[in-house]
């Protein structure tokens, strides 16, 4: 009997200690949880709520309309064009980001004199704001005064309507976005390369492996977890692009650069269609979630974890 009572007493003390540790842990997590609740979970819940209602400019719901906003999306040519432009934009940006950033990271990982200067240059876009970067490209893409068309003119090539042509506007935004994202991707990939043990390269050299053999059999496979991470954030970031579109084209010409995030902004703050914009935001969230899940299902199989 005494043994049983002692066991129950020890169990209660252990549970009390565990609850105390849990309370201390939650106390430390409380600031982050409050921020997430206020700035992430509450807005998401409110957006979902708004998507089922008619919403006035003051954010007041007038009447429950169910799935009408979602039905309007499927029948809206403007929304379908925005989705098409968004997927095209992602296809333009993500491969460009990864290839250029990886190429620069491989070059910068070489042990050569003065390489620190080039590392600084390659990562310099990290310190440039979206507004500043977009403004620079706004002048560079100018049809008559822009540096790019002036260089093309010196080569005997006709000027290109970078921002005023429906065919080139999306490409121009993609070029700007790739340039802006190179810095952060370069730093992440360079850090991944530098974490690969040097002994593996030395062993490969002793076995007679050449530069490209070491690159494709050691560097790329061991860098695959970092590449996978960069791919995920590049795709999500591309879907959420807004600033450069607002500054360079404002969604034009002919809605060719009216990506889904900019369309949400227009519907909500230009036209006052908060319910319709909320439905678009929920659809965008679902699309990003599905794309991310597909990436994990397919891409993670090819990731080589050490």
């Amino acid at each position: 009997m005494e043994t049983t009572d002692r066991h129950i007493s020890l169990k209660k003390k252990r549970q009390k200690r565990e609850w105390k540790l849990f309370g201390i842990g939650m106390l430390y997590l409380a600031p982050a949880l409050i921020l997430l609740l206020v700035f992430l979970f509450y807005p998401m819940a409110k957006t979902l709520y708004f998507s089922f209602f008619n919403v006035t400019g003051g954010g007041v719901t007038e009447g429950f309309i169910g799935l009408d906003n979602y039905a309007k999306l499927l029948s809206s040519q403007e929304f379908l064009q925005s989705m098409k432009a968004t997927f095209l934009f992602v296809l333009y940006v993500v491969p460009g980001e990864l290839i250029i950033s990886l190429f620069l990271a491989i070059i910068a990982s070489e042990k050569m004199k003065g390489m620190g200067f080039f590392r600084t240059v390659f990562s310099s876009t990290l310190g440039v704001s979206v507004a500043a970067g977009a403004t620079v490209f706004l002048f560079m893409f100018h049809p008559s005064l822009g540096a790019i068309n002036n260089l093309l003119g010196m080569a005997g090539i006709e000027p290109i309507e970078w921002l005023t042509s429906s065919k080139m506007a999306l490409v121009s935004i993609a070029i700007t976005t790739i340039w802006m994202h190179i810095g952060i991707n370069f730093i992440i990939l360079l850090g991944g390369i530098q974490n690969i043990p040097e002994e593996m390269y030395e062993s490969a050299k002793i076995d007679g492996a050449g530069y490209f053999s070491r690159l494709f059999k050691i560097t790329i496979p061991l860098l695959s977890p970092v590449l996978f991470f960069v791919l995920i954030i590049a795709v999500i970031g591309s879907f959420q692009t807004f600033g450069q579109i607002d500054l360079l084209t404002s969604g034009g010409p002919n809605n060719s650069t009216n990506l889904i995030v900019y369309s949400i902004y227009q519907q909500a703050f230009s036209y006052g269609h908060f319910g319709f914009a909320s439905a678009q935001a929920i659809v965008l969230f679902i699309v990003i979630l599905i794309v991310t899940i597909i990436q994990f299902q397919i891409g993670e199989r090819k990731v080589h974890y050490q």
Side-chain angles (χ1 to χ4, degrees):
M1 188 68 177
E2 291 181 3
T3 305
T4 304
D5 292 341
R6 192 182 303 112
H7 178 73
I8 293 173
S9 177
L10 290 173
K11 187 177 180 180
K12 288 182 177 179
K13 289 181 179 179
R14 190 183 306 112
Q15 289 177 343
K16 186 177 180 181
R17 193 184 309 115
E18 289 175 353
W19 277 108
K20 184 179 180 181
L21 290 174
F22 176 77
I24 294 172
M26 292 303 295
L27 187 64
Y28 280 112
L29 288 174
L33 291 175
I34 292 171
L35 288 174
L36 287 173
L37 179 65
V38 174
F39 294 105
L40 180 63
F41 298 123
Y42 174 73
M44 286 179 63
K46 198 72 172 180
T47 300
L48 180 63
Y49 175 76
F50 278 169
S51 69
F52 298 113
F53 287 84
N54 277 324
V55 185
T56 63
V60 179
T61 55
E62 291 185 336
F64 179 77
I65 59 173
L67 298 175
D68 284 1
N69 283 324
Y70 295 95
K72 289 179 183 178
L73 288 181
L74 297 178
S75 60
S76 171
Q77 290 299 318
E78 184 178 342
F79 172 74
L80 296 177
Q81 185 177 352
S82 294
M83 289 299 297
K84 179 181 177 182
T86 301
F87 278 103
L88 279 175
F89 179 78
V90 172
L91 290 176
Y92 291 158
V93 170
V94 174
E97 281 186 30
L98 291 178
I99 293 171
I100 296 174
S101 300
L102 179 61
F103 175 73
L104 296 178
I106 291 171
I107 293 176
S109 65
E110 297 294 327
K111 296 179 180 179
M112 297 175 62
K113 192 174 182 180
M115 190 55 71
F117 169 77
F118 291 100
R119 290 175 183 171
T120 303
V121 172
F122 296 157
S123 60
S124 60
T125 61
L126 185 61
V128 180
S129 67
V130 173
T135 303
V136 169
F137 275 90
L138 182 63
F139 286 105
M140 291 181 67
F141 286 135
H142 193 279
S144 58
L145 303 176
I148 298 177
N149 275 347
N150 286 334
L151 290 174
L152 293 176
M154 293 172 62
I157 302 174
E158 291 293 324
I160 298 174
E161 297 179 350
W162 293 100
L163 299 176
T164 56
S165 168
S166 299
K167 294 181 179 179
M168 293 303 301
L170 192 63
V171 175
S172 304
I173 299 293
I175 292 171
T176 306
T177 305
I178 289 170
W179 180 83
M180 290 179 179
H181 291 177
I182 281 176
I184 182 64
N185 293 335
F186 165 77
I187 291 175
I188 295 172
L189 292 172
L190 179 62
I193 293 174
Q194 291 178 336
N195 281 330
I196 298 175
E198 189 64 29
E199 293 80 7
M200 301 191 69
Y201 291 108
E202 293 175 357
S203 299
K205 287 180 182 178
I206 293 173
D207 293 337
Y211 176 82
F212 288 103
S213 179
R214 297 195 301 272
L215 176 64
F216 289 104
K217 292 184 178 180
I218 297 177
T219 305
I220 301 298
L222 295 183
L223 191 63
S224 57
V226 181
L227 279 170
F228 182 66
F229 169 74
V230 172
L231 174 64
I232 295 292
I233 63 172
V235 170
I236 294 174
S238 298
F239 273 109
Q240 297 175 338
T241 299
F242 173 80
Q244 48 270 49
I245 297 171
D246 187 40
L247 292 168
L248 292 177
T249 63
S250 298
N254 299 323
N255 289 327
S256 60
T257 61
N258 189 25
L259 305 190
I260 184 65
V261 172
Y262 194 77
S263 177
I264 293 170
Y265 165 77
Q266 279 189 323
Q267 291 293 334
F269 301 106
S270 296
Y271 309 142
H273 302 157
F274 289 95
F276 189 68
S278 297
Q280 285 185 299
I282 296 300
V283 170
L284 176 62
F285 169 77
I286 294 172
V287 168
I288 294 176
L289 180 63
I290 292 173
V291 171
T292 304
I293 291 173
I294 292 173
Q295 285 178 287
F296 272 97
Q297 291 294 324
I298 298 175
E300 199 171 23
R301 297 174 186 174
K302 299 181 181 180
V303 174
H304 177 81
Y305 293 104
Q306 296 185 39

